Every structure is written in structure tokens, then in C-alpha cells.
Amino acid sequence: MENQVNKGIQYMLFASLLFAFMGAAAKELSDSMSSVEVVFFRNIFGVLLILISIYKSPLKQIGGKFWLLVFRGTAGFIALLFFFYNISQIPLGEAMTFSKTSTIFTAVLAYFLLKEKLGIKGWLGVFVGFIGIVFITEFDGSTLEKTDYLGILSGVGAALAYTSVRELRKFYDSRAIVLSFMTIGTIGPLILMIISSFYSNSSLDFMLGSFVMPQPDDWIYIILLGIFATFAQIYMTKAYSFAKAGIIGTISYSNILFSIILGLILGDNFPSISIVFGILLIVLSGLLVSSKKE
């Protein structure tokens, strides 16, 4: 049993490192193309791999929740769109921290929509998490930066996607659920890039961006982006099959540390004291919320 838990922890650490490398590849690509196009390449790679998997081993599922499947894919796509935009605009560690706020929002959504118990420790985690968000955005009581509210919305979008998966997994093969997200995440950017060829608005640069033919060096990062993202998903799934969700959820926060280190290597500034404190509060929040699952 202990050996299984250790294996689960090792898999999650590796998955967290791969997610950080995925973010680094996306950040490098954002120098030569819009975040919308990066999202397109991130997803089309996954679509091809999942279709190959389904061809080799057909789906086994009940089905019947098509619109919930579409909702999950749309929510996940929007969250990824905002997340990749933030990666292009702010330090990698901060962008990753915003994405990890999904744990807070998932707990709240599961409480109201799925009637899951949260408990005192869980509610304390939610409260601590919201205080952490205030610190990481360095909110001064006036206005938030675009990257701040998009970061928060990326966490909400991911939480909506995760919450819907809890219902969908009763009806669909896990590959069908991921495929719905990646298919919408491939078609959505195509539509947005077509719209961008006729209409431009600098305030909507997080969702509008013209297609730019990748340069030879870009293809290396595109391939790495797909590989890192795909194997990160695989090892994360393996991790959850070897150990309890609370343990694996706790280890997943190592992703933030890996992202900060990679971001510094890529030229990011070291986070301010306020942001570091906010990151620590969000991690603490995640630990409290995750522990209530034990």
C-alpha cells in the first residue's frame, strides 16, 4: 500500500513538472504567435492522439448527456484560452497559480450544484484561497488588471469543467470527455482566428489573434507543447489511480514551484512579497480543501 502511494506521488511530481514545461513551451511560442493560435496547436495534437487511441480500443460508454459534454468542453476551452493568454503576459508561476485556484471554485461549485459536503476545514480553505487571490492580484481596492480577472476566470472555467466531469464520468469513457474538450479547443481557436482576419480589437487580444505560419523553430516548441501536455495528463491520471485524491491534489501544487523556476530561467522577474504570500495562501487553501476529501 505504501509503495502504491509513493508511486502515485512520484507520478504526480512528474506530471507537475511536465505541466510546467508545457507552460514554458507555450510562453516561448507566444513570442511569435497569439495565445489563441497556441491553444489551437495545444489541442489539435491531443485530438489526434485520442482518435488513434479510440481507433485501437473503441469507446465503452452509456452516453446521453451530450449538452453537458459540450458544456464541459466549452468551459475547459475558455479556461485554457485565458490561461494561455496570461502565460504570454505575466510570469509563468503567477499564471499557474491562477489556474490552481480552480480547486477553490470546484469545492464551492460542488457544494452548491452537487450537494457535496465541505465542512469547516473546507470552508476555511475557501476563505484562505480568496484572501490569497487578493494578494496575488495585489488588489488595492480600485481596479484589477486584465490578467488578474482573466486569471480568476480561468480558475472558474476550469472548476466548471471539473465539476461537470464528476457527472459525465458516470455516462462517458474518459477519452470521450477529454476529446470533447480538445475538439472544441481546436475548432474554437479556428473560428476566432477567422473572425480576427475581419475584425480587430486590442482590448480583446485574449480571444482574437490572426493565424501566423509557424517558423521552423516554432515547430519544435509546438511538438514539445503537445508531448508535455499529453504525457502530463497521462501521468496525472496514473497518479490518481495509485493514491487518494487528497494526497495527489496536495502534491500537484509542486507545479507552481516548477513554474516559478522555469519562468526565472526564461527571464521572468522574481515575484513580489505580496504575490509570494498570495501563492502560499492559495497553496494552503488547496491543501485544506483537498484534505476534506480524505
Side-chain angles (χ1 to χ4, degrees):
M1 183 64 181
E2 185 180 344
N3 186 48
Q4 280 198 326
V5 172
N6 288 337
K7 190 170 286 188
I9 290 171
Q10 289 169 8
Y11 282 151
M12 192 64 238
L13 280 171
F14 188 50
S16 296
L17 181 61
L18 289 176
F19 275 124
F21 274 116
M22 178 202 76
K27 196 169 188 68
E28 286 297 294
L29 283 171
S30 66
D31 290 337
S32 54
M33 63 181 69
S34 70
S35 56
V36 179
E37 188 173 346
V38 178
V39 171
F40 167 75
F41 283 117
R42 154 70 175 81
N43 285 309
I44 196 169
F45 192 97
V47 168
L48 294 173
L49 288 177
I50 292 173
L51 288 176
I52 292 170
S53 171
I54 292 173
Y55 176 75
K56 291 182 177 180
S57 176
L59 297 172
K60 295 178 181 179
Q61 58 191 26
I62 302 171
K65 295 282 185 178
F66 175 75
W67 290 111
L68 184 59
L69 199 63
V70 171
F71 174 81
R72 183 269 179 266
T74 303
F77 160 58
I78 291 172
L80 193 65
L81 196 65
F82 295 165
F83 172 51
F84 271 36
Y85 176 80
N86 268 9
I87 283 178
S88 72
Q89 300 294 317
I90 62 177
L92 186 58
E94 289 176 41
M96 285 292 182
T97 304
F98 273 122
S99 74
K100 297 301 285 186
T101 62
S102 60
T103 303
I104 305 164
F105 297 116
T106 299
V108 175
L109 289 171
Y111 174 81
F112 286 107
L113 301 179
L114 303 180
K115 309 303 178 185
E116 290 188 7
K117 293 181 179 179
L118 197 52
I120 296 174
K121 191 181 288 187
W123 280 114
L124 177 62
V126 170
F127 176 74
V128 170
F130 281 117
I131 298 298
I133 290 172
V134 171
F135 276 95
I136 195 174
T137 58
E138 297 183 301
F139 184 58
D140 60 3
S142 54
T143 57
L144 290 173
E145 296 289 333
K146 182 196 290 187
T147 51
D148 291 333
Y149 65 75
L150 288 179
I152 295 168
L153 289 174
S154 74
V156 174
L160 286 168
Y162 295 148
T163 304
S164 61
V165 166
R166 297 188 185 189
E167 181 69 15
L168 284 169
R169 63 188 177 192
K170 301 173 187 175
F171 301 90
Y172 290 96
D173 187 304
S174 60
R175 291 172 298 168
I177 298 172
V178 175
L179 184 61
S180 72
F181 158 55
M182 291 189 168
T183 300
I184 291 173
T186 301
I187 296 171
L190 280 175
I191 293 171
L192 292 174
M193 286 188 286
I194 290 170
I195 292 172
S196 299
S197 64
F198 299 99
Y199 174 77
S200 63
N201 187 329
S202 59
S203 63
L204 297 177
D205 58 344
F206 60 90
M207 60 181 289
L208 295 176
S210 301
F211 180 81
V212 176
M213 182 57 68
Q215 298 300 308
D217 288 349
D218 293 332
W219 285 111
I220 296 172
Y221 287 112
I222 288 169
I223 293 169
L224 288 174
L225 180 73
I227 292 172
F228 291 144
T230 302
F231 279 95
Q233 290 285 348
I234 291 170
Y235 278 95
M236 180 179 70
T237 304
K238 282 186 176 184
Y240 278 104
S241 69
F242 277 99
K244 291 181 179 180
I247 297 172
I248 299 305
T250 299
I251 300 301
S252 72
Y253 282 88
S254 61
N255 169 254
I256 296 175
L257 177 61
F258 293 141
S259 297
I260 290 173
I261 294 170
L262 284 176
L264 291 172
I265 293 171
L266 293 176
D268 287 344
N269 293 323
F270 195 83
S272 67
I273 296 298
S274 173
I275 290 173
V276 169
F277 187 59
I279 289 172
L280 291 174
L281 287 178
I282 288 171
V283 171
L284 175 60
S285 164
L287 301 185
L288 288 168
V289 172
S290 295
S291 66
K292 61 96 182 175
K293 299 174 185 176
E294 294 301 300

